Amino acid sequence: MKIKTLISTIAMVLATTTAQSEIQKFEAIAINNSNHFFYPNLNLDGLNEINISVDKQIKEGHPMPSFDIKRVEFNFPNANNLVASNFTKVPDMPDTYRAIVTSPWVFKKVMIELRSFDFFDTTHFNYQVKVIESTSHINNLEQSEGVDLFMGDAELNNITNAKVVDVVRTRYLDKPLTLRLLNQAGLNGINIEAIWMGHGTKILTIPFPVYPEQKPVSLSLTTVFDDQFIKVRLDNAYHGPETPDESLRNLLEQAFGPLPYPEPVMP
């Protein structure tokens, strides 16, 4: 009995201290790349795709998330892709992550370095890849040295599949309308998927900035006279604020185009 109690207590402690973890995927846009031509048969021109997978964690008592780079892939049109994992955050360099890849292409060892303070949509980041010529005896990443292979900068575009966190069903202009609140939100606003019979599916955006420590958790709908209004409750480490009421009609018109006015409701 005492053992069961001890196990339950440990489980409760772990549950309260475990971080909320979410794998997010990004693609690079606006890539600005340059490379060094010191190996004639390796063509690194035209780097057209960089894919990054990041583990985003929010710990209790620390509303700002921390990040762990899980995987980075550089795609070249005229060379094999370069894939790196097992990134390590460099001590005393809060924005720098490094990983060593062995035997890529014709090189025995290269180092991939990414520099970014955080990983959010539209965040600017830098990257640098070196051919390693020397390392410390303890294989310390901070002391790795080599010749630049390619480098550049780009912006992050979040391509993580959105999750539905709440659903509200109603009717508008006498057609069934389903509103699905999505967990993806940012400084540009909160996204709601609208599935409207006879009109199709569009994304409605509530222009309310959502900061990293916040997340949409619920959607509510109220009717006032001939219009309906929606608002979203957010959750964070401190409290759960709500967005101001937004006219459903206005949001639908922004997404679907001009709409006729609904027939007035007779008493």
Side-chain angles (χ1 to χ4, degrees), residues 23-82:
I23 299 297
Q24 296 195 332
K25 296 181 179 180
F26 299 89
E27 64 178 4
I29 58 175
I31 300 174
N32 178 29
N33 183 69
S34 62
N35 53 276
H36 293 256
F37 303 94
F38 62 86
Y39 194 84
N41 294 325
L42 181 61
N43 184 355
L44 301 182
D45 289 338
L47 174 63
N48 56 9
E49 188 176 337
I50 306 173
N51 296 309
I52 303 173
S53 179
V54 175
D55 185 6
K56 174 185 173 182
Q57 297 186 358
I58 299 180
K59 297 181 180 179
E60 186 177 0
H62 299 274
M64 291 302 295
S66 60
F67 303 94
D68 180 19
I69 300 178
K70 308 303 290 184
R71 188 177 187 271
V72 175
E73 180 175 0
F74 297 90
N75 294 334
F76 299 93
N78 302 304
N80 292 336
N81 296 347
L82 175 60

Side-chain angles (χ1 to χ4, degrees), residues 98 100 111 132 134-136 139-146:
R98 288 178 178 172
I100 296 291
M111 180 178 69
I132 296 301
S134 64
T135 58
S136 67
N139 200 28
N140 195 337
L141 283 174
E142 302 99 282
Q143 300 178 25
S144 298
E145 298 178 357

Side-chain angles (χ1 to χ4, degrees), residues 206-224:
I206 295 179
F208 187 88
V210 178
Y211 297 95
E213 67 272 18
Q214 298 174 322
K215 58 181 180 179
V217 293
S218 67
L219 177 67
S220 61
L221 180 70
T222 57
T223 300
V224 180

Side-chain angles (χ1 to χ4, degrees), residues 33-227:
N33 183 69
S34 62
N35 53 276
H36 293 256
F37 303 94
F38 62 86
Y39 194 84
N41 294 325
L42 181 61
N43 184 355
L44 301 182
D45 289 338
L47 174 63
N48 56 9
E49 188 176 337
I50 306 173
N51 296 309
I52 303 173
S53 179
V54 175
D55 185 6
K56 174 185 173 182
Q57 297 186 358
I58 299 180
K59 297 181 180 179
E60 186 177 0
H62 299 274
M64 291 302 295
S66 60
F67 303 94
D68 180 19
I69 300 178
K70 308 303 290 184
R71 188 177 187 271
V72 175
E73 180 175 0
F74 297 90
N75 294 334
F76 299 93
N78 302 304
N80 292 336
N81 296 347
L82 175 60
V83 180
S85 56
N86 298 320
F87 278 81
T88 299
K89 201 167 188 178
V90 180
D92 301 322
M93 300 175 69
D95 66 336
T96 303
Y97 303 77
R98 288 178 178 172
I100 296 291
V101 179
T102 57
S103 300
W105 304 309
V106 296
F107 306 108
K108 182 179 179 180
K109 184 182 293 186
V110 299
M111 180 178 69
I112 293 88
E113 178 179 287
L114 258 68
R115 296 187 299 278
S116 180
F117 280 103
D118 50 42
F119 292 84
F120 300 118
D121 204 32
T122 72
T123 295
H124 184 271
F125 73 96
N126 297 84
Y127 61 88
Q128 187 172 19
V129 177
K130 292 177 176 286
V131 179
I132 296 301
E133 295 180 328
S134 64
T135 58
S136 67
H137 292 296
I138 59 174
N139 200 28
N140 195 337
L141 283 174
E142 302 99 282
Q143 300 178 25
S144 298
E145 298 178 357
V147 177
D148 289 334
L149 182 60
F150 65 91
M151 67 187 69
D153 60 84
E155 290 184 6
L156 295 174
N157 179 35
N158 194 331
I159 57 173
T160 308
N161 292 331
K163 297 178 182 178
V164 177
V165 296
D166 197 13
V167 178
V168 171
R169 293 177 175 86
T170 185
R171 296 181 69 87
Y172 202 84
L173 294 179
D174 205 31
K175 293 289 185 180
L177 173 64
T178 300
L179 302 173
R180 292 154 44 105
L181 178 64
L182 305 179
N183 68 331
Q184 286 186 355
L187 295 179
N188 293 328
I190 300 168
N191 295 322
I192 299 170
E193 183 183 53
I195 306 171
W196 196 7
M197 182 174 289
H199 296 267
T201 300
K202 298 286 187 179
I203 298 297
L204 313 181
T205 300
I206 295 179
F208 187 88
V210 178
Y211 297 95
E213 67 272 18
Q214 298 174 322
K215 58 181 180 179
V217 293
S218 67
L219 177 67
S220 61
L221 180 70
T222 57
T223 300
V224 180
F225 298 110
D226 295 331
D227 200 0

Side-chain angles (χ1 to χ4, degrees), residues 221-242:
L221 180 70
T222 57
T223 300
V224 180
F225 298 110
D226 295 331
D227 200 0
Q228 298 181 66
F229 294 85
I230 59 177
K231 62 183 176 181
V232 174
R233 185 170 67 83
L234 303 169
D235 190 21
N236 59 25
Y238 305 107
H239 51 78
E242 289 184 333

